[in-house]
Amino acid sequence: MTILSHPIDEQSNPFAIAQQQFDIAADLLDLNMGTRRRLRVPRRELKVAVPVRLDNGDIEVYEGYRVQHNVARGPAKGGIRYHPDVDIDLIRALSMWMTWKCALVNIPFGGAKGGVTVDPERLSLGELERLTRRYAAEISIIIGPEKDIPAPDMNTNPQVMAWIMDTISIHRGYTVRPTVTGKPLHVGGSEGRTEATSRGMICLLREACRHLEMRMDKSSVVIQGFGNVGGNAARLLYDTGVKVVAVSDVRGGLYNADGLDIPAIQRYQAQTGTMAGYSEAEGVTNAELLELPCDILVPAALGNQITRENAARIKARIIGEAANGPTTPAADAILAENGHFVIPDILGNAGGVIVSYFEWVQGLQEYFWSEHEVVENLERIIIKAFHDVVKVAESRHNHMRTAAYLLAVRRVADTAETRGVYP
Ligand code: NAD
């Protein structure tokens, strides 16, 4: 099996990791040097200062970013993250991954990402709204329905998207619904968007189980992260009778080898703001959770969770990457060596951007689809992408991530090369 063409140093800088992943594909595709230089770096980067009047009257200034990695195949697309770890290299990496993700599932978008370096748990609702509106106003010079369309990511949600859409609309003087996706239904969102990333992941897990001749209904699942993606994935699995044996949030996790009562944990979390302290399961740390005995592991929180250090102790047969960048390239090599089946992030969490694409189309056409239409089209696109990747992995003897990159990078490179270099 061709895994890597050059030795891998353990990197923790996400942009260095993203470039390393790209280089592996570029080598295997024998990409010409000019195209490689163009695709290796973002097309456009905006850094903004975001002054916010706090409730006590003080003014705090936060750093914000919007990076557009590539727009060869269509307007830039990607989420907005509010997190203390946000910096330019994280946003660059996330924007590059968006380019490959959109190309892999063949939707007409380029890649972008944005974020603000902030711990939103420390802000009141009013402060969060003022931060969002000022950040939206600052990046309004490069976003818009035909240019760059943001969406939710960690610590941003449909309410934040509604504030962004409203801010851009106020500046324009009329309502511009397709400015962002992931909006609440009653402000022009799409049916099925909230669960889209999780639904896409579950569909992929089903296909992976079929491919590996495993019984999904007899499998045990561990999920790291219990937010939009991890929480909805746990609930959808529970509702279909699949045993979820461990879940976690930022404060730690819960484990029960016989299966967790996910609705009860969701109720507990809604009352207390965390799952920590829930008494009907054993407590585990986030590090322990990754190494638990299970059939399927779904990282759905932060990046750099599976590393050279812990990769050899992972027990799950299938690793379904719902988070962006949860596995380092050095860990990838170990997982491949040990025969794990990885559904790489650019495929694993693509359900979100697929339904964001549907929401954008619905907003542009002012014509809205039923949930049934959304789910049917999501499943059609993501199942095709899964089998496209498996076919490349098998024919070229690569593992799934490299196969996904080969497909995605080739598509973007073809478009960029045919369009040419201006002037
Ligand atoms: P979220 O903010 O809704 O939830 C994040 C969850 O992760 C929370 O439960 C939080 O407590 C937990 N968490 C935070 N830090 C952690 C840590 N150090 N260890 C363990 N858990 C931790 O975010 P989300 O929208 O669910 O996004 C999760 C991941 O999925 C991110 O990597 C994001 O980029 C990716 N993603 C999200 C979407 C989407 O549609 N929301 C789409 C594609 C990819």
Side-chain angles (χ1 to χ4, degrees), residues 67 158 224:
V67 174
Q224 183 189 51

Coordinates of all heavy atoms in Angstrom, one line a residue, residues 67 158 224:
V67 N -10.5 33.7 5.7 CA -9.5 33.2 4.7 C -10.3 32.5 3.6 O -11.1 31.6 3.9 CB -8.5 32.3 5.4 CG1 -7.5 31.7 4.3 CG2 -7.7 33.1 6.4
P158 N -27.3 28.6 14.7 CA -28.2 29.3 13.8 C -28.5 30.8 14.3 O -28.7 31.6 13.4 CB -29.5 28.4 13.9 CG -28.9 27.1 14.2 CD -27.7 27.3 15.0
Q224 N -16.5 11.6 20.5 CA -15.9 12.7 21.2 C -16.5 14.0 20.8 O -16.5 14.3 19.6 CB -14.4 12.7 21.0 CG -13.7 13.8 21.8 CD -12.3 14.0 21.4 OE1 -12.0 14.2 20.3 NE2 -11.4 14.0 22.4

